Amino acid sequence: MATAMPTQVRGALSMVIVVLVGAAAVEAQRDACGADLSTFLPSPFSSSRLHCAPVWNSFILRHLQNGDNIMSIVLSATYTSGWVGIGFSSDGKMVGSSAMIGWIDNHGRAYIKQYYLRGQTSSGVKVDQGNLLTTDTRPAVVLYGDNIYLAFQLNFSVQLAQQHIIVASSAITPNKFHLAEHNDKATLSFDFSSGDPVSTDYPYQLKLKRNHGALAMFGWGILLPLGAIVARYLRHKDPLWYYLHILLQFLGYIIGLAGVVTGIALYNRIHSNFTIHRGLGISVLALGSLQVIAFFLRPNPDFKARKYWNRYHHWLGRLCLFFAAVNIALGIEIGGANMLWKVIYGAFMSVILITVTFLEIMLWNRLAKASTLRIQMPTCNFET
């Protein structure tokens, strides 16, 4: 895959051609590949030779690459406020990519800037940095109808063919070139040599990612903790607690295992490099598998080694639950999940913590009362 030349941001990047056409003068319309760009875009971005392809939602990508490896790019999307952009990544990840971001501020001024995405936080997004080499042709940001158009040229070291790109948008307008977090984004592979988005399975990738998160959250993050709660606080409901505990743990393990399988399938498609997330996932799977093996090898209650098995079973299970909770939270973050996922898992964890605290207090009170009753129990001596 072709890579961009070393970092070089030219002064021309800050000089933007501003073309704003009022809604009263232009009938509101959505962009399409057949649209005539010559009425509002300057040359060379208005050329009819531009290849055009819808890439995601309302995003349309037009491009033309000449023999000198200079590529003219026009990115369009439905726009009301905020920013839109396109990033170029060597591995499909947002971190480490370079992006061209465009917007129109509250005063009607248009901007286009290159950003280097050094990290996942806002402080890691650096303006006027990146690995994209621009040309002397001035970029343009145009608001036409319902759409915003970002037009710019990039100079690559070789003819660009298949390339990971990231398209994203935010409804919040940048303040002093500080970007707000994106509202939505998509990562896909695009074949610039043919003009076709080769990642036609992006919806499948998105489905895999959602299934991976949902299965892991439900199996490792919900069913397993519920099974542990049943085992600790419902012992007085014998043998109901035992059957509920076994049912919840096995269901949680099977569903969690399905989440691992979808995660492997997702990794094989996008080749992400989230080593901590992957390492924690392997640890959770290993600990969960050891618990399943321990179930089939558990000794009888009257066996001397049973107390060691109990300690092993309890502490290994707690370690598995802790790693699972951390990894689910990490997966939600690195997966770019929307706020709904965070709210659902955060609410569940809050309920679990409050419930466990309440039940633990009740358990200790019950044990204290039982101990007091045993101490106060009168003894009867019968003398002959």
Side-chain angles (χ1 to χ4, degrees):
M1 182 177 62
T3 58
M5 294 180 67
T7 305
Q8 183 178 349
V9 181
R10 300 184 180 183
L13 194 56
S14 60
M15 302 176 62
V16 180
I17 300 175
V18 182
V19 182
L20 298 178
V21 183
V26 180
E27 181 181 358
Q29 57 185 341
R30 292 179 63 88
D31 189 21
C33 280
D36 182 11
L37 307 185
S38 62
T39 57
F40 57 90
L41 276 180
S43 178
F45 307 116
S46 58
S47 172
S48 60
R49 297 173 55 205
L50 290 171
H51 301 288
C52 180
V55 289
W56 174 68
N57 287 352
S58 66
F59 281 78
I60 294 179
L61 181 61
R62 296 173 172 88
H63 62 95
L64 180 62
Q65 191 168 196
N66 63 21
D68 295 327
N69 305 327
I70 294 176
M71 182 178 296
S72 299
I73 296 175
V74 179
L75 178 72
S76 65
T78 302
Y79 183 83
T80 54
S81 64
W83 58 262
V84 299
I86 178 172
F88 294 78
S89 172
S90 61
D91 54 8
K93 295 189 299 181
M94 179 170 286
V95 175
S97 64
S98 300
M100 298 295 293
I101 307 294
W103 69 94
I104 296 172
D105 68 10
N106 298 329
H107 302 287
R109 294 172 297 196
Y111 296 88
I112 184 169
K113 288 282 188 179
Q114 181 176 177
Y115 286 83
Y116 179 63
L117 285 70
R118 182 178 298 172
Q120 294 183 345
T121 61
S122 297
S123 60
V125 180
K126 304 299 182 180
V127 65
D128 290 332
Q129 296 184 28
N131 299 319
L132 300 175
L133 183 64
T134 60
T135 69
D136 292 330
T137 300
R138 291 197 295 180
V141 175
V142 176
L143 183 62
Y144 187 83
D146 288 342
N147 308 290
I148 189 171
Y149 294 79
L150 277 59
F152 54 93
Q153 278 192 340
L154 298 177
N155 193 345
F156 294 94
S157 57
V158 295
Q159 285 282 310
L160 196 63
Q162 186 172 336
Q163 169 72 45
H164 291 293
I165 63 172
I166 303 167
V167 288
S169 64
S170 171
I172 302 176
T173 303
N175 181 19
K176 297 181 179 179
F177 305 115
H178 175 78
L179 293 185
E181 184 180 359
H182 59 267
N183 296 118
D184 209 353
K185 71 177 179 69
T187 302
L188 61 154
S189 184
F190 193 88
D191 190 350
F192 283 94
S193 62
S194 65
D196 296 325
V198 298
S199 182
T200 54
D201 63 343
Y202 170 74
Y204 179 66
Q205 292 179 13
L206 182 60
K207 183 179 179 180
L208 272 180
K209 184 169 72 171
R210 288 175 175 170
N211 288 345
H212 170 62
L215 290 170
M217 182 186 296
F218 187 62
W220 303 121
I222 295 180
L223 292 181
L224 289 188
L226 289 178
I229 289 174
V230 166
R232 180 162 179 81
Y233 302 112
L234 292 182
R235 287 293 183 107
H236 58 288
K237 301 291 184 179
D238 194 40
L240 176 63
W241 76 267
Y242 176 77
Y243 294 116
L244 282 177
H245 175 64
I246 296 301
L247 176 64
L248 288 170
Q249 300 308 83
F250 270 100
L251 280 178
Y253 177 79
I254 292 172
I255 294 174
L257 180 61
V260 172
V261 172
T262 56
I264 294 173
L266 181 63
Y267 173 79
N268 291 335
R269 287 184 175 272
I270 66 176
H271 300 288
S272 59
N273 193 31
F274 301 120
T275 53
I276 297 178
H277 181 63
R278 188 165 63 250
L280 285 173
I282 294 172
S283 299
V284 170
L285 177 62
L287 292 171
S289 300
L290 288 174
Q291 290 289 71
V292 173
I293 295 173
F295 169 77
F296 292 103
L297 298 180
R298 72 190 188 283
N300 293 326
D302 56 351
F303 193 66
K304 291 183 178 180
R306 179 60 181 252
K307 63 179 181 180
Y308 301 108
W309 183 92
N310 287 339
R311 292 174 184 173
Y312 159 85
H313 181 61
H314 294 163
W315 287 105
L316 209 67
R318 290 164 183 166
L319 190 62
C320 179
L321 293 178
F322 174 74
F323 283 166
V326 172
N327 206 32
I328 290 171
L330 180 62
I332 291 174
E333 183 64 27
I334 65 178
N338 57 36
M339 186 58 66
L340 179 61
W341 287 74
K342 299 177 182 178
V343 170
I344 290 175
Y345 188 62
F348 175 78
M349 290 302 298
S350 299
V351 170
I352 286 290
L353 291 174
I354 294 172
T355 302
V356 168
T357 301
F358 177 74
L359 292 176
E360 191 70 17
I361 294 173
M362 291 184 61
L363 175 63
W364 281 100
N365 287 337
R366 188 166 63 247
L367 292 176
K369 290 180 181 178
S371 177
T372 303
L373 288 175
R374 283 196 298 269
I375 293 174
Q376 296 177 351
M377 184 73 68
T379 58
C380 298
N381 297 323
F382 297 92
E383 297 181 358
T384 56

